[in-house]
Amino acid sequence: MTAETPGGLGVVTVEQLRRYPDDAHVRIVEDTVYLSRDGGFDVADLEAIEDDGWRHELIDGIIVMSPAPVHAHQRAVVELVFALRTSVPEQLEVLVAPFDVDLGFRRRVQPDVLIVPAVELGQEVPRPVLVIEILSPSNRRHDLVAKRRVYEQAGIASYWIVDPDQPSTTVLELRDDHYFEVGQAAGSAELAVEKPYDITIRPADLVK
């Protein structure tokens, strides 16, 4: 195992390092851990990692691990779910992380909030029609770049990015296989969204 820690090793204990695969290269940037190796990892490797309270995702053969979210992040999750649930049509369902979403070969992610077609318990959950990521200091680039690309390539129709520190919300929709920004609001300004259903969001309400 090799380790590269430009952000410092403080977020990962020596005991955690021992649990990672022996042939892994560990890269730590701020509070996010990236595990890579020759040939890449697959879903079986992801599932073999012991539960340590971190979020584990697989993106293009790289295991991405991030620590438990901060207070502002979780407050935004709760307020978003409440806002979405008040008007969600019966054919759709609101879910939250941790919930695995398989997006093809060597890609398994856990969006903070997602809306999926409603099914009976026990049935396979279809791919989301909307995914929402809430930015944290440790995951900004991950959500703004890597996960945006993954969701876009997977054909997820809508992607929202919520920044609780601003606060702001950006809405992206898939058109001709690419995401385009169709709405953005900050503070107490209203953001009216039509897909996957009509809803109005005030970013400041998510963290007040």
Side-chain angles (χ1 to χ4, degrees), residues 115-129:
I115 294 179
V116 299
V119 295
E120 296 293 332
L121 290 178
Q123 294 181 343
E124 182 178 354
V125 177
R127 282 192 178 185
V129 297

Side-chain angles (χ1 to χ4, degrees), residues 129-149:
V129 297
L130 166 66
V131 292
I132 303 173
E133 297 290 359
I134 299 167
L135 301 181
S136 293
S138 64
N139 71 1
R140 294 185 68 90
R141 178 172 175 78
H142 182 53
D143 288 342
L144 291 171
V145 180
K147 293 185 83 171
R148 170 176 172 156
R149 171 176 51 81

Side-chain angles (χ1 to χ4, degrees), residues 35-145:
L35 301 183
S36 61
R37 72 177 180 192
D38 292 342
F41 291 102
D42 56 27
V43 170
D45 298 313
L46 182 71
E47 293 176 342
I49 294 180
E50 298 178 24
D51 184 9
D52 53 9
W54 287 44
R55 179 179 299 188
H56 300 165
E57 299 179 297
L58 180 68
I59 295 182
D60 297 331
I62 296 174
I63 295 174
V64 182
M65 304 172 55
S66 52
V70 297
H71 188 189
H73 181 285
Q74 292 303 83
R75 178 176 291 178
V77 168
V78 171
E79 295 300 328
L80 260 176
V81 170
F82 178 78
L84 292 167
R85 279 286 293 130
T86 57
S87 55
V88 65
E90 63 180 14
Q91 69 269 24
L92 296 174
E93 181 178 5
V94 183
L95 300 175
V96 298
F99 186 85
D100 287 333
V101 177
D102 287 308
L103 295 177
F105 181 65
R106 292 183 175 177
R107 287 180 172 178
R108 176 181 286 183
V109 295
Q110 293 188 359
D112 290 316
V113 182
L114 58 158
I115 294 179
V116 299
V119 295
E120 296 293 332
L121 290 178
Q123 294 181 343
E124 182 178 354
V125 177
R127 282 192 178 185
V129 297
L130 166 66
V131 292
I132 303 173
E133 297 290 359
I134 299 167
L135 301 181
S136 293
S138 64
N139 71 1
R140 294 185 68 90
R141 178 172 175 78
H142 182 53
D143 288 342
L144 291 171
V145 180

